[in-house]
Amino acid sequence: MVFFTVAEANAILPDVVKKFEMILAKKSSVSRAQARVESAINSSLSDFVAAKQQLNQVVTEYYLAIQTLEETGVAIKSIEQGLLDFPAKMFDDEVWLCWKYNEEKIAFWHEKDSGFINRKPLATSDKSWV
């Protein structure tokens, strides 16, 4: 497992944001394709099959976009809420650096067994971040 320092996580954040925005775009494409499949149910078989094939394609692209982001070592906690966590160490404890979509930088953390609601602000002068 890759552990990020606060500086490393903030350094890759622009790339992570681009990858996350690609996931959001693909998720939107899946919703549109699903709607086309649903509207094609009463259409001809060929229209339905074409719509279903398009849905299969965009679902594949959606999951590939998720995989691309996760390959960076970042954990997607909620696509809908825009929550991403970066594994980190504080002293010898494994924790999450917590980021929410549209935040300018990583400024929060939480323990591994707690979530967004329990996040705490980073003490940037704190030497405990490895």
Side-chain angles (χ1 to χ4, degrees), residues 12-43:
I12 70 161
L13 189 57
D15 185 53
V16 167
V17 170
K18 287 179 189 172
K19 287 175 171 52
F20 186 72
E21 288 175 342
M22 180 59 69
I23 291 169
L24 294 177
K26 297 298 180 185
K27 185 176 187 288
S28 180
S29 295
V30 169
S31 295
R32 288 191 305 273
Q34 180 65 39
R36 284 192 294 274
V37 168
E38 290 170 8
S39 68
I41 287 174
N42 296 322
S43 299

Side-chain angles (χ1 to χ4, degrees), residues 34-115:
Q34 180 65 39
R36 284 192 294 274
V37 168
E38 290 170 8
S39 68
I41 287 174
N42 296 322
S43 299
S44 70
L45 180 60
S46 63
D47 287 346
F48 177 78
V49 168
K52 186 70 169 94
Q53 288 173 336
Q54 178 61 30
L55 175 61
N56 292 343
Q57 178 63 38
V58 295
V59 166
T60 298
E61 292 170 4
Y62 174 63
Y63 283 109
L64 286 173
I66 290 171
Q67 180 180 352
T68 298
L69 176 56
E70 289 179 335
E71 286 172 351
T72 66
V74 174
I76 300 170
K77 294 300 178 95
S78 172
I79 293 171
E80 293 74 20
Q81 295 176 346
L83 300 177
L84 303 179
D85 284 346
F86 296 69
K89 284 200 171 190
M90 184 170 56
F91 298 111
D92 289 329
D93 295 328
E94 293 181 12
V95 298
W96 295 109
L97 298 174
C98 183
W99 179 80
K100 184 173 182 177
Y101 188 61
N102 286 328
E103 290 180 342
E104 292 182 25
K105 64 181 182 175
I106 296 164
F108 298 92
W109 71 280
H110 60 81
E111 281 98 9
K112 286 192 82 161
D113 60 350
S114 66

